[in-house]
Amino acid sequence: MKKSAISLFCLLLMGTLFAQQKESKGKQAFTTAGKKVTVYTTAANTDLRLSPTAHLVFAKAAQPLETEISIFVEPQRKFQSLMGIGGAITDASAEVFAKLSKEKQQEFLTAYYDTQKGIGYSLLRTTIHSSDFSSGSYTYIEEGDKDLKTFSIAHDKQFRIPMIKQATQAAGGKIVTYVSPWSPPAFMKSNKQMLKGGTLLPDYYQAWANYYAKFIKAYEKEGMPIWGLTIQNEPMAVQTWESCVFSAEAERDFLKNYLGPTLKKEGLGNKKIIVWDHNRDLMNQRANVIFTDPEASKYAWGMGFHWYETWAGGAPMYDNVAKVHEAFPDKNLIFTEGCIEKFDAQKYQFWPNAERYGASMIHDFNNGTVAWTDWNILLDENGGPNHVGNFCFAPIHADSQSGDLIYTPSYYYIGHFAKFIRPQARRVATASSRSSLISTSFQNADGSMVTVVMNQSDKEVTYNLMIASDKTVTTIPPHSIQTLLY
């Protein structure tokens, strides 16, 4: 090698090493040195609700024994960034909210959206015209108006838009908002009604694509930025309420030939389009059909999914989320809806409802999910209003007779994630040595680490939190969830 070439090589090598050292210096590796651990606990059969229950320190650890239960965290192995955690403001939520006193409205907004006094929701879903959680079916146009000349969101200005604006203000002035339709207008569908399934008629593909663009622009004109949209809520379900069926091929073709190009043409090409928006059971097939088509895939930000696949009697299909992530790592995964079905006022404090949230959030995050959205954030004492009688639970209910707010355990379980794991946090490798505990961890942008541990067993469990050669030891009550902040 010539002397000049050697000199150039040395300069390049030194430059590379300097850049690596600079990058390493800017991103200090996580260390437990000097770290104190604050433990927050919510537990069944106690008064503990997001309550500080322990202050711990790390100490040197020996090889853990098989008889010990341990949670292993490896901060050097990071995965997806968190976009946000939140819930849906439906017509039902907004109608119930409007009936609360000003004091209770403020309490409610603080409980959900304040990062200090509440659980700090940072994500919001809402509907494109009506869903079952509306007092009745409606659209934004007169029936038969294919050209959308009568388009108006005046309906939403009574309850929904004011609530969204107040929620946004309570969240600090901005919140990631995305929207979903339950059904096109009746005249655009094969069954000529908004309810009970049916399909979008080909003659109205363009008109329906235009409708999304009109809606987004109308909401943004009201000062509510729309981050993204799902194509169709639950496209494989023929429901007694607003619903519309799209096969995987139909959704793919509508996306690539109509919705994607239309949003781009209307100056809305930056809006994130989410496909599927249905249960975990069929999500892999939907991903295969849409994401392997280059023309459709280029418009798809990712895939949304729900948790209702258990309607058939099986267990939650958490692994399907991981398999979509494995097959299409360049696509994002977002949990777009989950709630406890079949409202029963005797079960406001039914603990397994909350554990369903905890288990889903831990598994979904560990399988690559970047955002997690609950369904209605508020319902009344009947689990509504719902115009087809599909009454469900929300984390918070309002008793319209007394004017009181009822906090269910689900609110606190969601809070163990939303309050402490903030947007832009990176998930960190975490594993449990025993099935009695499940866990996930994230590192926030400020460097703080959050580990959530859930105990679904009937027994108190003592466990190690182990990071490299250090550990701390704590105890988790039966049927409880803990957040360890350090």
Side-chain angles (χ1 to χ4, degrees), residues 109-343:
L109 293 170
T110 298
Y112 267 123
Y113 296 102
D114 191 287
T115 57
Q116 300 302 314
K117 299 176 182 177
I119 60 174
Y121 269 11
S122 55
L123 184 65
L124 190 156
R125 185 192 191 203
T126 197
T127 67
I128 297 177
H129 57 233
S130 64
S131 71
D132 53 322
F133 280 95
S134 303
S135 291
S137 294
Y138 68 91
T139 70
Y140 302 123
I141 58 173
E142 292 179 5
E143 185 68 5
D145 179 15
K146 180 179 180 179
D147 297 325
L148 313 184
K149 292 178 181 177
T150 58
F151 191 95
S152 169
I153 58 168
H155 174 281
D156 296 2
K157 292 181 181 180
Q158 184 178 7
F159 298 118
R160 183 146 46 109
I161 288 175
M163 186 183 182
I164 291 173
K165 289 183 175 180
Q166 289 184 68
T168 302
Q169 185 178 5
K174 62 179 181 179
I175 193 165
V176 175
T177 301
Y178 68 100
V179 300
S180 305
W182 265 240
S183 171
F187 73 91
M188 295 186 184
K189 296 176 63 184
S190 61
N191 64 347
K192 300 305 177 186
Q193 60 172 316
M194 292 179 71
L195 316 183
K196 301 178 181 178
T199 58
L200 177 65
L201 294 169
D203 286 351
Y204 296 103
Y205 276 18
Q206 187 58 58
W208 185 227
N210 293 342
Y211 199 101
Y212 296 78
K214 285 265 193 185
F215 176 82
I216 292 170
K217 287 183 176 181
Y219 260 53
E220 294 198 330
K221 189 177 179 181
E222 288 293 315
M224 295 172 293
I226 302 302
W227 168 85
L229 65 155
T230 73
I231 297 175
Q232 169 63 45
N233 179 73
E234 299 184 346
M236 286 307 296
V238 177
Q239 307 283 25
T240 57
W241 53 86
E242 286 86 337
S243 45
C244 184
V245 174
F246 281 81
S247 68
E249 292 77 13
E251 185 176 14
R252 175 197 65 198
D253 294 347
F254 177 65
L255 170 62
K256 74 176 178 179
N257 297 326
Y258 296 91
L259 184 59
T262 298
L263 292 182
K264 185 177 180 181
K265 179 184 174 184
E266 293 294 324
L268 301 171
N270 63 329
K271 306 306 177 189
K272 306 298 189 286
I273 301 177
I274 300 164
V275 305
W276 186 227
D277 198 10
H278 204 166
N279 299 328
R280 299 183 187 102
D281 50 1
L282 300 181
M283 66 188 295
N284 304 81
Q285 185 260 351
R286 187 75 41 145
N288 293 343
V289 171
I290 297 176
F291 295 156
T292 57
D293 184 304
E295 287 304 304
S297 183
K298 73 181 183 183
Y299 292 114
W301 172 84
M303 170 169 279
F305 63 96
H306 301 181
W307 72 13
Y308 308 110
E309 68 272 10
T310 53
W311 70 269
M317 302 295 291
Y318 299 127
D319 286 351
N320 283 357
V321 180
K323 288 171 183 175
V324 170
H325 184 56
E326 178 184 50
F328 304 98
D330 59 323
K331 297 301 183 184
N332 298 283
L333 290 162
I334 174 173
F335 184 90
T336 45
E337 185 187 313
C339 77
I340 306 298
E341 313 93 324
K342 298 178 181 176
F343 177 77

Side-chain angles (χ1 to χ4, degrees), residues 55 93 326 362 451 453:
H55 297 279
S93 295
E326 178 184 50
I362 288 172
T451 296
V453 181

Side-chain angles (χ1 to χ4, degrees), residues 376-396:
N376 303 277
I377 62 172
L378 177 67
L379 293 172
D380 65 17
E381 71 275 19
N382 299 310
N386 185 292
H387 70 89
V388 293
N390 182 35
F391 302 119
C392 298
F393 281 96
I396 300 177

Side-chain angles (χ1 to χ4, degrees), residues 5 18 85 89 91 103 187 228 233 254 314-315 378 425 442 445 485:
F18 177 74
I85 298 171
I89 293 183
D91 288 320
E103 292 77 16
F187 73 91
N233 179 73
F254 177 65
L378 177 67
F442 282 79
L485 179 63

